[in-house]
Amino acid sequence: MGDFNARTGDLFDYIELDHISHIDNNDLPTNYSVDDPLTIRQNMDTIVNEQGKNSIDLCIESKMRILNGRAMGDSLGNFTYFCPNGRSNIDYVIVSEDIVNSFPFLHVLPPNELSDHCIVWFSLKTLNNLNNNSKQNYNFTFPIPGKFCVENGKNEYISLLENDEEKDIQSFLLQVNDPEKDINTLTEHLTNIMIKAAKKSFKFKLFKKKKRKRSITGIMVIVLL
């Protein structure tokens, strides 16, 4: 979510009719994932710029979808930016295709005197509904064990990425253009490279577990009059 400086006009952020056009195509990888047909995105800003084309390409390649102009509350795709030279729609909420239906509402507030960008807010269904309506069960409750202390060791970290981890990085870059590699696999690969270098460069500090206070139950309150 944020200012992408991208004007996307009425470009599709997914492959149109993908679920129909490739049914009998044997040239595609066996694990090819078909784009789901979605509600056509509306946009009051009809202009397309280079950043807009790049953003749409990114959405298609990574199976991300724009909520603006598609979710209830913004059925017209309202303008999000106003300036003396005109207005445009460049502030987006973009989510994974798997959880589009978990964002039922999006609203662009009117322009205000504090910023030339409008406030964009949206609603997200609760965790139980999210798991029921999405293709995958996402574990949002995974505990974070600690953090890397990055105050010292930055030079060593950069050196490791440039030298020791160079082969892994080159391998990752080759996989980026591999159609059989999905975005989750690539993200995990890159994350593992960075964590491997971080473990050699930084100290890892575990978070302290908070002690739970004992709760007192079964108290009877007697009021004397």
Side-chain angles (χ1 to χ4, degrees):
M1 175 180 178
D3 176 10
F4 288 76
N5 199 26
R7 306 182 73 173
T8 59
D10 58 356
L11 297 177
F12 283 92
D13 54 354
Y14 62 95
I15 300 176
E16 188 182 10
L17 302 179
D18 192 37
H19 62 297
I20 297 176
S21 57
H22 297 306
I23 291 178
D24 298 323
N25 193 334
N26 296 323
D27 296 331
L28 294 173
T30 55
N31 63 342
Y32 178 78
S33 178
V34 176
D35 285 355
D36 290 337
L38 299 174
T39 304
I40 296 178
R41 182 174 62 91
Q42 304 298 321
N43 194 348
M44 296 181 70
D45 184 1
T46 58
I47 295 177
V48 177
N49 62 6
E50 194 63 30
Q51 292 92 328
K53 294 178 182 177
N54 293 336
S55 296
I56 290 296
D57 288 342
L58 177 63
C59 287
I60 293 175
E61 291 178 5
S62 59
K63 283 192 170 294
M64 304 290 285
R65 304 293 177 248
I66 299 172
L67 291 183
N68 303 59
R70 179 173 280 141
M72 183 184 300
D74 189 42
S75 58
L76 298 178
N78 289 303
F79 294 104
T80 63
Y81 176 76
F82 293 82
C83 69
N85 294 328
R87 54 188 181 176
S88 60
N89 187 358
I90 56 176
D91 303 277
Y92 299 101
V93 178
I94 303 178
V95 302
S96 173
E97 180 188 80
D98 294 332
I99 56 175
V100 166
N101 293 330
S102 298
F103 294 81
F105 191 84
L106 181 145
H107 184 58
V108 179
L109 296 182
N112 62 84
E113 64 277 5
L114 300 178
S115 173
D116 44 13
H117 291 267
C118 298
I119 295 175
V120 180
W121 67 276
F122 57 89
S123 62
L124 172 64
K125 290 182 180 179
T126 60
L127 184 60
N128 288 336
N129 288 335
L130 180 63
N131 285 336
N132 290 335
N133 293 331
S134 61
K135 293 180 179 178
Q136 304 177 25
N137 289 330
Y138 293 88
N139 182 10
F140 291 103
T141 59
F142 184 82
I144 300 176
K147 67 176 182 178
F148 288 104
C149 301
V150 298
E151 291 78 11
N152 299 313
K154 294 180 181 178
N155 292 334
E156 183 181 356
Y157 178 72
I158 295 173
S159 177
L160 284 170
L161 291 178
E162 292 178 343
N163 299 294
D164 294 14
E165 309 301 331
E166 183 180 3
K167 290 183 179 179
D168 287 338
I169 293 176
Q170 292 298 329
S171 173
F172 165 77
L173 293 175
L174 290 174
Q175 293 181 44
V176 168
N177 295 321
D178 186 346
E180 295 190 1
K181 299 294 183 182
D182 61 83
I183 188 67
N184 293 327
T185 301
L186 293 172
T187 302
E188 183 178 0
H189 188 175
L190 180 59
T191 301
N192 289 337
I193 293 173
M194 298 174 69
I195 290 178
K196 183 180 178 181
K199 286 181 177 179
K200 297 178 181 179
S201 309
F202 307 120
K203 291 183 178 180
F204 188 78
K205 182 179 180 181
L206 292 172
F207 291 138
K208 294 182 179 179
K209 294 183 178 180
K210 293 183 179 180
K211 294 182 178 180
R212 294 184 178 180
K213 295 182 179 180
R214 293 183 178 180
S215 58
I216 302 175
T217 58
I219 297 178
M220 180 181 293
V221 178
I222 301 175
V223 180
L224 299 178
L225 300 178

